[in-house]
Amino acid sequence: MSHSNTATLSNEIHGDNYLNHSKGLKSWLTTLDHKRIGLMYLATVLFFFLLGGIFALIMRLNLMSYGHPVVDANTYNKLMTFHGAIMVFLVIIPAIPGAIGNFVLPMMCGAKDVAFPRLNLASYYIYLFGALFATAALIGGGVDTGWTFYTPYSIRTSGPVILVLLGAFIAGFASILTGLNFIVTLHKLRAPGQSWSRLPLLCWALYATSIIQVLATPVLAITLVLLMMERVFKIGIFDPALGGDPILFQHFFWFYSHPAVYIMILPAMGVFSEIIPVFSRKPIFGYRAIALASFGIALVAFIVWGHHLFVSGQSELANFIFSLLTMFVAVPTGVKVFSWVGTMYKGSIRFNAPMLYAFGFIELFTIGGLTGVFLATLAIDVHMTDTYFVIAHFHYVMVGGSIMGLVGGMHYWFPKVTGRMYNETIAKWSFGFIIFGFNLTFFPQFIAGSQGMPRRYWSQLPEFDLWNRLSTVGSWFLAVGFVMVAYDMIRSARKGPIAGPNPWEALTLEWQTPSPPPHENFIETPVVTSWPYEYKPSRG
Amino acid sequence: MSQPLNTTGVHHHAHHFDSADHEFQASKQGMWIFMVTEVLMIGAIFVGYLIMRARYPEAFHEAHKLLNVKLGALNTAVLILSSYTMVRGVSAAQRGNNKLTIRMLMTTIALALVFCVVKYFEYSHKIHEGTLPGGNYTYAELSMPHVPLFFSFYFIMTGIHAFHVLVGIGLMTWMIKRVKSGEITPEFFTPVELVGFYWHFVDLVWIYLFPLLYLLG
């Protein structure tokens, strides 16, 4: 890479960079710089992560022991709805594309910005606007439909359901615009020499994600519009009392919401495809396979939604086909996991925090993925449907996958974003709390679920007390871990040691420019002459 | 910072593009992707309509007879004509004939308004008769189960289309303003071309809606 020289020359943290290029709150709120927009996304996402997390802690406290509820049943239903809706629509879906993708993707391409900077800022405000509607519903008394808004209950129940629907509808457009922007950026703004076969794997993962965002989100949009119309104008398309079909709602809803699972997980896979070779000091194993697997997952994502309807009265034949197709997801996913392990094999592994998160990710995501294969199996699913086994499964995928990707990525790019280094000791301890707390919270739920503990219940039977207690205690460890991460990052952003342009000795383009990067990312447009994964093992 | 306009009113490409053509190509690709999202959004409701139609063919057949085919056909002709005037407007913008661009955009807006007026008469007739969606259906002459469902789809589908027509009128008005400001030149006509894309898409959706709702027996 041709730029390491200029990068070291202007290594000063006080030089002109995107943080001090212009000053004042207004310069942030009206910025067109993808890096600042990424940080604004990150701050908002983390705020809602805190909110959704607090709801989860209260729910766990409520379930801790039989006969000692801390909230009443109605409040519990609302907490459950908002925990789900906030974590899905306002945290995990925008998290990695909106925050990390926005910051890193243009730099990885060697571009000065995304293709449509104004649209990028608009996407942030649309997201914020959607979030405000959801918050208004929370303040306005709450909603008890669950995040899936199943009909006909969501048509009949009282409360500001429309506000939550509007919130999700609006936030969806932010997701569409981010996806659109990334696709055009990847096609039109790669630096000279940055051919498709040299593109970093995070870019490939975000490309596949963008395709799902662009194709699936509009279907959710129209579904939510129809549901709002049900409530306002009694159109009856989903209402059995008016001749409609509530199962049609489930089909429409999952046609988006199943692919949405891959909107959540693919970017995390991309993040770890960057981290693993850097910290193994070895070329990535199976570059082409990992890139293609992202598209394989994106493709299969669209033809498996019916596995959410195994017990909804779908035909036997449809159940069989969806069950079979669902298992195909495991193939490209397995290709990725084996490629990461292959990359680590005989590498000289550095145990920095981002790499620890990669280990955590592979462990948790593999458990989450394999239990997904259990649930794809009809004979098991009919017994496991609506039990805690399902809850444990998707938390292993979403928290163990996506949130690990977000937090691991935050550590990995922290020196690039702030120009300073996080505290490795705190980072390792917080990782320990998170991985221990996570497994303690969710592994008992597999066991309780397999014994028949139902999901969504406000109160559980005393025979599940042991598992519920373990799970609640685990949630405290998890919370402590995240608080430690927050403490470390807030402190290190101001007081951490100067990191230099490339503390990890990484080869992708964003590391070949000063930290924090200048306003236009590179001092001069980089010319790419090689593949970004030619790592050599260090001596010793 | 990118400056879309300099003092002479001539557009220069934004800082992250190599050239004006580079920017134009990127904008066009972005617009195509946006069109795909529109297809998916409207596609979902088409699928819903087809499922229900296949399930209750008699009810949908009886219900569709209550639509006014003549007005639907008139609107189809109006929109096809408006696509023609839009093409001429875009072509005039590419050649730098601002006067013709403005005249053609205004004609297109006029045709769009004709469409809206016809739609207004259709809707008010239905409101008057009570051939309304779902629970609001009160038309006594045809009381068959699932007929109201047809009108749910009719109002939602044509309603979403009409909303797009209104957005199109807004966009074309904005384009007239930009052409008048001298910003649109043979070197930079991206906004007019993209609004043209959008308008053809809106027309195309109607080309599917008309036979699906009014004609299919």
Side-chain angles (χ1 to χ4, degrees):
Chain A
M1 299 271 160
S2 60
H3 261 264
S4 48
N5 284 339
T6 37
T8 36
L9 280 176
S10 51
N11 180 15
E12 299 281 323
I13 194 165
H14 299 298
D16 178 66
N17 62 52
Y18 80 102
L19 292 169
N20 63 17
H21 182 75
S22 51
K23 285 196 166 53
L25 183 65
K26 196 180 165 230
S27 80
W28 277 83
L29 296 180
T30 60
T31 185
L32 298 181
D33 186 333
H34 66 98
K35 301 183 285 304
R36 285 186 168 197
I37 295 171
L39 285 187
M40 282 152 66
Y41 253 116
L42 184 67
T44 319
V45 160
L46 291 178
F47 169 78
F48 282 103
F49 183 63
L50 177 68
L51 195 64
I54 290 171
F55 292 167
L57 286 171
I58 301 173
M59 285 155 70
R60 277 308 334 153
L61 206 58
N62 187 71
L63 294 173
M64 190 168 175
S65 60
Y66 172 76
H68 296 90
V70 295
V71 291
D72 62 68
N74 267 330
T75 312
Y76 184 84
N77 290 346
K78 289 171 185 173
L79 287 170
M80 176 193 83
T81 302
F82 279 93
H83 169 70
I86 287 176
M87 288 302 200
V88 170
F89 294 117
L90 301 182
V91 179
I92 305 183
I93 287 177
I96 298 184
I100 294 179
N102 247 329
F103 196 98
V104 176
L105 180 130
M107 299 181 80
M108 280 185 158
C109 294
K112 289 176 182 152
D113 209 317
V114 291
F116 310 114
R118 260 191 207 86
L119 207 59
N120 200 20
L121 183 65
S123 135
Y124 171 73
Y125 280 110
I126 291 170
Y127 160 68
L128 194 64
F129 198 54
L132 288 179
F133 271 97
T135 316
L138 190 61
I139 296 166
V143 170
D144 65 349
T145 58
W147 79 277
T148 51
F149 311 118
Y150 269 20
T151 50
Y153 186 72
S154 56
I155 303 172
R156 311 233 193 290
T157 183
S158 59
V161 180
I162 290 185
L163 284 179
V164 187
L165 296 174
L166 260 179
F169 173 79
I170 295 169
F173 283 96
S175 182
I176 291 175
L177 294 180
T178 302
L180 186 154
N181 226 332
F182 284 178
I183 294 176
V184 180
T185 306
L186 286 166
H187 273 275
K188 302 290 181 190
L189 292 182
R190 282 170 290 125
Q194 184 66 301
S195 59
W196 288 110
S197 58
R198 287 177 185 158
L199 204 59
L201 288 164
L202 175 60
C203 295
W204 279 112
L206 285 170
Y207 192 158
T209 310
S210 301
I211 290 178
I212 306 178
Q213 286 174 300
V214 164
L215 295 183
T217 319
V219 177
L220 177 75
I222 191 72
T223 309
L224 297 180
V225 167
L226 290 177
L227 187 49
M228 286 184 254
M229 296 288 168
E230 291 282 355
R231 283 186 72 94
V232 182
F233 296 118
K234 295 187 279 180
I235 56 168
I237 292 174
F238 300 136
D239 190 345
L242 295 170
D245 183 355
I247 304 296
L248 186 64
F249 174 83
Q250 296 185 22
H251 279 289
F252 277 173
F253 182 82
W254 290 112
F255 185 84
Y256 164 78
S257 295
H258 192 77
V261 173
Y262 305 106
I263 298 178
M264 305 182 205
I265 196 65
L266 280 171
M269 291 171 157
V271 165
F272 290 117
S273 300
E274 298 303 325
I275 290 175
I276 289 169
V278 170
F279 291 89
S280 303
R281 308 315 296 165
K282 254 188 73 191
I284 186 93
F285 181 89
Y287 169 85
R288 195 170 287 250
I290 295 178
L292 287 176
S294 289
F295 288 89
I297 293 172
L299 180 76
V300 181
F302 280 100
I303 50 177
V304 300
W305 79 89
H307 65 225
H308 294 272
L309 288 86
F310 281 163
V311 296
S312 296
Q314 190 174 239
S315 78
E316 293 283 307
L317 179 67
N319 276 354
F320 165 72
I321 293 170
F322 278 121
S323 168
L324 184 71
L325 289 173
T326 302
M327 293 187 194
F328 279 118
V329 182
V331 177
T333 312
V335 165
K336 287 196 177 214
V337 173
F338 289 129
S339 295
W340 294 322
V341 176
T343 307
M344 285 189 250
Y345 180 66
K346 287 191 176 174
S348 31
I349 293 174
R350 297 173 179 174
F351 291 89
N352 297 83
M355 192 60 174
L356 295 183
Y357 280 98
F359 293 139
F361 170 80
I362 293 177
E363 184 244 306
L364 302 181
F365 180 72
T366 304
I367 294 176
L370 287 177
T371 50
V373 180
F374 293 16
L375 291 172
T377 313
L378 276 169
I380 294 179
D381 186 79
V382 290
H383 298 289
M384 295 296 189
T385 294
D386 284 343
T387 68
Y388 262 74
F389 192 89
V390 178
I391 304 285
H393 154 68
F394 73 70
H395 280 87
Y396 265 82
V397 175
M398 290 185 189
V399 186
S402 312
I403 298 294
M404 286 284 144
L406 177 68
V407 181
M410 278 165 65
H411 282 92
Y412 177 59
W413 281 289
F414 187 84
K416 182 50 63 185
V417 172
T418 62
R420 293 175 186 274
M421 201 44 132
Y422 63 83
N423 183 313
E424 194 67 60
T425 313
I426 301 180
K428 281 181 177 151
W429 274 100
S430 56
F431 170 76
F433 271 93
I434 289 174
I435 194 85
F436 175 75
F438 179 86
N439 281 302
L440 189 59
T441 308
F442 292 104
F443 206 85
Q445 298 185 3
F446 276 128
I447 301 167
S450 68
Q451 293 171 356
M453 185 168 111
R455 70 188 284 195
R456 296 203 179 106
Y457 280 29
W458 162 66
S459 172
Q460 298 286 359
L461 290 173
E463 63 224 58
F464 300 119
D465 255 9
L466 171 65
W467 307 123
N468 275 323
R469 263 179 213 158
L470 287 175
S471 183
T472 303
V473 172
S475 71
W476 302 338
F477 278 92
L478 197 52
V480 169
F482 284 126
V483 169
M484 284 168 75
V485 172
Y487 166 78
D488 179 22
M489 295 215 158
I490 292 168
R491 187 177 154 277
S492 300
R494 292 163 180 278
K495 295 186 180 156
I498 303 291
N502 192 1
W504 309 126
E505 300 169 287
L507 296 177
T508 43
L509 282 178
E510 82 274 23
W511 297 104
Q512 318 309 320
T513 189
S515 307
H519 172 62
E520 291 198 325
N521 294 345
F522 301 96
I523 290 156
E524 51 190 270
T525 304
V527 177
V528 182
T529 53
S530 65
W531 194 54
Y533 297 108
E534 285 303 339
Y535 295 104
K536 292 187 180 62
S538 49
R539 285 186 300 124
Chain B
M1 280 281 98
S2 65
Q3 280 290 331
L5 285 174
N6 69 3
T7 44
T8 56
V10 177
H11 181 89
H12 289 276
H13 55 273
H15 74 135
H16 54 293
F17 289 107
D18 297 336
S19 63
D21 183 58
H22 189 203
E23 183 168 16
F24 175 57
Q25 296 302 335
S27 305
K28 252 193 355 195
Q29 191 183 41
M31 195 66 190
W32 275 111
I33 298 171
F34 175 69
M35 296 285 90
V36 171
T37 69
E38 289 273 25
V39 169
L40 263 295
M41 190 176 84
I42 295 172
I45 184 96
F46 271 59
V47 168
Y49 170 81
L50 290 172
I51 290 172
M52 290 304 192
R53 190 189 166 84
R55 225 181 260 177
Y56 313 114
E58 296 88 0
F60 274 52
H61 178 76
E62 291 307 316
H64 102 284
K65 287 183 187 163
L66 299 177
L67 298 186
N68 190 329
V69 183
K70 276 179 194 155
L71 288 182
L74 172 65
N75 258 349
T76 310
V78 166
L79 280 189
I80 291 176
L81 189 61
S82 81
S83 252
Y84 169 74
T85 55
M86 180 51 105
V87 170
R88 289 206 55 193
V90 172
S91 139
Q94 289 169 342
R95 283 178 285 111
N97 187 345
N98 283 356
K99 249 188 183 160
L100 186 62
T101 310
I102 290 171
R103 212 162 62 219
M104 282 301 151
L105 285 173
M106 280 180 160
T107 318
T108 314
I109 291 177
L111 289 166
L113 288 172
V114 170
F115 177 89
C116 291
V117 170
V118 173
K119 207 76 228 155
Y120 168 79
F121 282 117
E122 280 192 82
Y123 280 163
S124 47
H125 180 66
K126 291 199 168 43
I127 292 168
H128 179 72
E129 278 196 324
T131 43
L132 289 170
N136 305 295
Y137 186 87
T138 52
Y139 186 59
E141 315 263 310
L142 181 63
S143 55
M144 205 175 158
H146 302 114
V147 163
L149 209 54
F150 175 86
F151 287 98
S152 299
F153 280 104
Y154 169 81
F155 273 98
I156 295 279
M157 291 162 101
T158 57
I160 288 175
H161 179 261
F163 173 76
H164 280 81
V165 171
L166 292 177
V167 170
I169 293 173
L171 288 172
M172 286 185 275
T173 313
W174 181 36
M175 284 309 114
I176 290 173
K177 205 173 145 233
R178 289 182 77 167
V179 174
K180 277 185 180 161
S181 78
E183 193 192 336
I184 306 298
T185 64
E187 285 75 42
F188 177 72
F189 50 81
T190 313
V192 180
E193 173 135 356
L194 297 191
V195 170
F197 270 31
Y198 173 85
W199 190 250
H200 296 316
F201 172 78
V202 174
D203 290 355
L204 195 63
V205 171
W206 182 259
I207 301 293
Y208 281 91
L209 282 179
F210 174 59
L212 213 54
L213 293 170
Y214 290 76
L215 299 181
L216 219 62

